[in-house]
Amino acid sequence: MPLDEYDKIAHLLRRAGFTAHPDELEAATARGLQAVVEDLLNFERFPDVPPDPEILAALDQSQDTFNRMRGDFLNRLTRWWLHAMATTPRPLQEKMVLFWHGLFATSVAGLEFWQQIYLQNENFRGNFDPDTGQLLRPAPGNPFPVGNFRRMLEYLSKDPAMLYWLDNQFNVKKNNEVGSNENYARELHELFSMGVEDVVAKVPNYTERDIRQASRALTGWRVLPRSANFTFPRVFSFDPTRHDFGPYEHLGKRGGNNADFIFDNIVRHRNPGQKQSAVGRFLGYRLFTFFGYEDPEPEIINALADVFDGAHGGEPFNIRNMLRTIFTPGNLVSEAFYSERAFRARVKSPTEYVVSLVRLLTFDRATSRPEGISSSSAVMRLLSNGMVQMGQQLFAPPDVSGWREGLAWISTTSVLARFNFANDILALQVNQGGIDLTRLMTQARLQEALQQRRYGEVVDFLARLLWQIPPSAEAREALIGYLQAPIPNTSESTLVSQKIRGLIHLMLAAPDFQLS
């Protein structure tokens, strides 16, 4: 059965963002689907999330001082980003930062200077200039997170964390066949732009020699070890004395004297007999898998590749145009995005699980905004432990290929960790950064329903809030039964709070809340 307008908007806000409170869904429905799509895509209309002053202050610490607090820095950084995702008025921007973090997977585990991972996060948000090392909101010219992919490859290659993570910092001229280090050149092709083989044609996209020649062009790209006013390496520098000026032989072309030649070849590369570019297909596949469903059909991948290539007269290599094609009704790709196959059929990542939980349970109907995640030490400990147990430690992907999505998030251990996290955060007192369930119930005007034991109303409201669908008759009966069951030796006032926490916990543990 085709989705109606309300379900399409709810689906869009879950996928292009992290979820939406029923009040936000009603407001969005009043504006209409097309207007919601344009607000998501043109997020610059809305204020960006502010930086955390304590994170900024940590960047100015001496390295010895920073090293004594780096664990706390990572916990604070994780909390800040999750809080930003839960509260931002630019949900698509944050969702794309998460997408790039998964695609260009960089880990603090391989970095000496953990401060660089924060700069990368701001780079993906469009707020970092690698040529000056400056954090700006926004940084002029920065193409992230939805701009020109050709320019993104340049900003990615200049990123301080990436230069250290894949060793291109140490890549210098060697001979006419290869640079001294080909790690980054390999991942640039294999994981970051086109993949080993064409997503549709299943033919090799490049050769080992293409990798070696690209490594020549990327020699001399490094980070200044020390720069005025900065306490750690963060300014990109091109060292001509370490650079191999070519010419290079790459993807069937010969020429160039720097990495521009390589970036241009990559984004334009088509395999023999193929209409679409290899990068267009790779990104079409990755973007639709991230926002829509796994293993999209070849015609969907090719349609998105056509948009990337500018086949219909649009700006080539533009990520925003690809997203507009996915989300705007009336084309082959968006019909798949708004299909029954995609609707409530994607397993939330641990990040999406935490952010959606916080966004819905801290939503303040008085301000029409979620309050987000407290910066209390109790909450930061809970987050740092919970994310690791759930299988997604932000800023520390398992390897350079990033996290596996979909059903890979679900295992006996990770599901139990989700249940434990929900229980722990619900049990935390408000003055320790916990969720204010009393306010939630008061604003929903459910106190009277509870006192009069009209438990069906309570279950229906929380199902609409958390599951965003009516409960099945069996589930509704079971949840009402839970509320009716007595708890021995418990006062009436304590009983209510215990029952509500328990009911919400049951709903957060149910399969309905695990799906986006």
Side-chain angles (χ1 to χ4, degrees):
M1 180 184 299
L3 306 187
D4 61 21
E5 180 92 346
Y6 183 89
D7 281 343
K8 285 182 180 177
I9 291 174
H11 176 68
L12 172 67
L13 293 176
R14 284 194 291 268
R15 297 295 177 86
F18 296 91
T19 191
H21 187 275
D23 290 2
E24 296 175 298
L25 282 174
E26 288 182 13
T29 304
R31 297 203 309 279
L33 179 57
Q34 187 60 52
V36 176
V37 169
E38 290 305 318
D39 279 348
L40 286 166
L41 289 170
N42 299 293
F43 50 76
E44 297 88 348
R45 299 171 180 173
F46 306 98
D48 199 357
V49 291
D52 182 321
E54 293 194 33
I55 291 174
L56 293 180
L59 304 185
D60 295 329
Q61 300 288 343
S62 69
Q63 194 59 35
D64 286 344
T65 302
F66 181 85
N67 285 341
R68 289 194 290 272
M69 55 177 279
R70 51 202 281 162
D72 290 339
F73 176 80
L74 188 59
N75 289 343
R76 179 165 288 278
L77 188 55
T78 300
R79 173 263 162 196
W80 171 77
W81 191 15
L82 290 168
H83 175 75
M85 289 187 261
T87 60
T88 180
R90 300 178 169 192
L92 182 59
Q93 179 190 36
E94 293 304 323
K95 204 65 180 279
M96 287 305 297
V97 176
L98 186 61
F99 173 80
W100 296 125
H101 180 43
L103 184 62
F104 303 142
T106 307
S107 173
V108 291
L111 298 180
E112 178 181 356
F113 306 101
W114 285 19
Q115 307 95 317
Q116 292 170 340
I117 204 71
Y118 171 61
L119 300 186
Q120 185 178 85
N121 186 269
E122 290 284 19
N123 191 14
F124 293 165
R125 193 173 281 107
N127 297 334
F128 178 64
D129 181 351
D131 289 316
T132 65
Q134 296 284 346
L135 285 165
L136 303 163
R137 305 182 91 77
N142 188 312
F144 283 108
V146 295
N148 184 293
F149 188 73
R150 158 66 180 79
R151 290 273 291 158
M152 286 184 189
L153 293 182
E154 183 180 334
Y155 270 66
L156 176 70
S157 303
K158 290 180 174 179
D159 186 272
M162 183 59 77
L163 277 162
Y164 274 88
W165 168 238
L166 288 178
D167 306 317
N168 206 51
Q169 157 82 355
F170 310 108
N171 183 23
V172 299
K173 180 178 180 178
K174 185 176 181 181
N175 56 45
N176 289 342
E177 187 58 28
V178 66
S180 68
N181 191 303
E182 56 188 273
N183 284 355
Y184 181 68
R186 180 173 303 283
E187 305 308 355
L188 178 66
H189 293 72
E190 180 176 334
L191 296 175
F192 300 164
S193 66
M194 58 174 64
V196 174
E197 64 176 21
D198 187 293
V199 173
V200 174
K202 306 298 182 188
V203 297
N205 280 324
Y206 56 84
T207 67
E208 282 296 308
R209 188 157 192 272
D210 291 323
I211 300 296
R212 295 195 297 270
Q213 290 287 297
S215 74
R216 293 178 59 204
L218 286 159
T219 51
W221 286 49
R222 55 197 301 260
V223 187
L224 285 178
R226 290 287 178 269
S227 184
N229 302 321
F230 296 130
T231 56
F232 63 95
R234 59 190 278 180
V235 179
F236 170 74
S237 173
F238 174 71
D239 185 347
T241 66
R242 300 177 176 215
H243 180 65
D244 181 340
F245 283 92
Y248 323 107
E249 295 180 12
H250 180 247
L251 297 176
K253 297 182 174 63
R254 176 179 171 81
N257 58 18
N258 58 43
D260 286 347
F261 180 76
I262 305 300
F263 300 147
D264 288 339
N265 285 342
I266 286 175
V267 295
R268 292 187 168 87
H269 179 63
R270 287 173 171 76
N271 288 302
Q274 300 304 310
K275 182 181 176 185
Q276 287 81 19
S277 69
V279 177
R281 284 175 170 171
F282 174 84
L283 287 176
Y285 175 86
R286 293 298 297 259
L287 284 169
F288 197 85
T289 299
F290 187 73
F291 287 106
Y293 50 72
E294 296 183 61
D295 299 322
E297 297 83 352
E299 53 267 33
I300 291 174
I301 298 169
N302 282 340
L304 285 170
D306 282 340
V307 176
F308 179 84
D309 297 339
H312 307 303
E315 177 192 343
F317 321 137
N318 185 287
I319 300 299
R320 197 189 311 254
N321 287 345
M322 298 178 78
L323 297 177
R324 178 172 280 108
T325 301
I326 296 174
F327 302 141
T328 302
N331 65 73
L332 174 74
V333 179
S334 61
E335 284 182 12
F337 175 73
Y338 293 110
S339 68
E340 285 187 89
R341 180 179 173 185
F343 186 65
R344 295 182 57 79
R346 184 174 180 278
V347 176
K348 292 176 181 174
S349 67
T351 295
E352 291 169 321
Y353 179 83
V354 169
V355 171
S356 60
L357 180 159
V358 169
R359 186 176 177 89
L360 293 172
L361 293 181
T362 70
F363 189 88
D364 185 352
R365 299 181 91 171
T367 62
S368 299
R369 298 294 313 157
E371 287 189 344
I373 302 174
S374 162
S375 59
S376 75
S377 57
V379 169
M380 283 197 280
R381 279 197 302 274
L382 196 160
L383 281 173
S384 59
N385 294 333
M387 292 296 290
V388 171
Q389 295 300 318
M390 285 185 266
Q392 188 174 39
Q393 185 179 10
L394 294 174
F395 308 107
D399 54 47
V400 75
S401 61
W403 293 278
R404 293 175 59 203
E405 299 275 351
L407 288 175
W409 290 122
I410 298 298
S411 69
T412 305
T413 302
S414 65
V415 168
L416 182 61
R418 291 184 182 212
F419 300 168
N420 289 339
F421 175 82
N423 182 60
D424 290 345
I425 199 165
L426 288 169
L428 210 58
Q429 298 299 311
V430 175
N431 60 7
Q432 293 178 309
I435 293 168
D436 191 344
L437 296 181
T438 301
R439 187 187 69 189
L440 186 154
M441 298 302 291
T442 301
Q443 291 189 342
R445 299 178 180 174
L446 289 174
Q447 303 289 32
E448 185 177 322
L450 275 171
Q451 290 168 357
Q452 297 180 0
R453 302 181 188 276
R454 302 198 310 270
Y455 295 140
E457 292 180 29
V458 180
V459 169
D460 291 342
F461 170 80
L462 289 175
R464 182 167 174 254
L465 173 71
L466 299 173
W467 295 351
Q468 303 192 337
I469 54 170
S472 67
E474 294 80 6
R476 188 173 188 271
E477 184 178 349
L479 293 171
I480 290 173
Y482 167 78
L483 288 177
Q484 291 172 331
I487 300 179
N489 305 319
T490 304
S491 67
E492 187 67 23
S493 58
T494 305
L495 178 67
V496 170
S497 62
Q498 283 189 355
K499 284 291 187 182
I500 292 304
R501 278 203 302 272
L503 179 64
I504 293 175
H505 184 219
L506 287 173
M507 289 186 160
L508 296 176
D512 303 81
F513 192 74
Q514 314 308 313
L515 298 174
S516 169

